[in-house]
Amino acid sequence: LQFVDTINGRTFYNNSKATNVPATITALKAFHDPVLLIAGGLDRGLSFDDLVPYLKENVNGVISYGETAEKIAMVAKKGEVEFIKTTETLDEAVQIAYEVSQRGDVILLSPACTSWDQFKTFEERGERFVSLVKKLAM
């Protein structure tokens, strides 16, 4: 769980290493401020239903991308998340998260999936997230 930056009152965290649901749950438990969760990646045919109770806690938005975008969006609906958006890429997801967020929000990349649909490694995905956040700061 890497702090990346705070931009206009929004705090960004990189948890690209969260390649499964339990790791994303652990990350969500770390925050008490409103969270916009960016999640998605390779579809390994696993369920995301264990996220539901944690989405109900303090997740105001879910922006899902990649092969699992629709599956994660369905789980976000079960979790009664206010804002749900699916995208094709991480780049789009970061931009949308920033646009719909408010001061005091946490924007968290915690994919609950492996990166292999769009990236070679979770490190590459995390580095891309960090570079996208840096571009927002410009």
Side-chain angles (χ1 to χ4, degrees):
L1 195 54
Q2 172 196 15
F3 168 76
V4 178
D5 203 351
T6 299
I7 303 168
N8 294 322
R10 292 119 171 110
T11 308
F12 292 81
Y13 286 89
N14 170 26
N15 192 35
S16 181
K17 191 170 181 172
T19 60
N20 57 47
V21 170
T24 296
I25 289 170
T26 299
L28 289 173
K29 288 173 160 181
F31 298 100
H32 300 288
D33 292 324
V35 173
L36 279 99
L37 174 65
I38 300 172
L42 182 73
D43 189 352
R44 295 185 289 175
L46 304 174
S47 170
F48 297 97
D49 286 342
D50 288 348
L51 287 172
V52 171
Y54 302 94
L55 295 175
K56 289 181 178 183
E57 297 269 326
N58 62 331
V59 176
N60 291 349
V62 171
I63 300 94
S64 56
Y65 72 93
E67 287 183 9
T68 55
E70 292 298 329
K71 286 172 97 173
I72 292 171
M74 294 296 289
V75 168
K77 287 178 188 171
K78 291 179 189 175
E80 301 169 4
V81 174
E82 291 176 30
F83 179 83
I84 302 167
K85 179 78 175 167
T86 60
T87 67
E88 292 291 318
T89 66
L90 176 61
D91 295 38
E92 293 171 291
V94 170
Q95 186 63 43
I96 291 166
Y98 182 69
E99 289 171 3
V100 303
S101 65
Q102 299 177 12
R103 288 186 155 285
D105 286 347
V106 170
I107 299 175
L108 170 65
L109 171 65
S110 192
C113 300
T114 62
S115 58
W116 303 324
D117 64 334
Q118 296 181 18
F119 301 95
K120 291 179 183 169
T121 65
F122 75 84
E123 293 97 341
E124 181 184 329
R125 174 174 61 192
E127 289 167 8
R128 180 69 182 166
F129 178 73
V130 170
S131 76
L132 292 167
V133 171
K134 288 183 182 198
K135 284 182 185 176
L136 290 172
M138 295 178 167

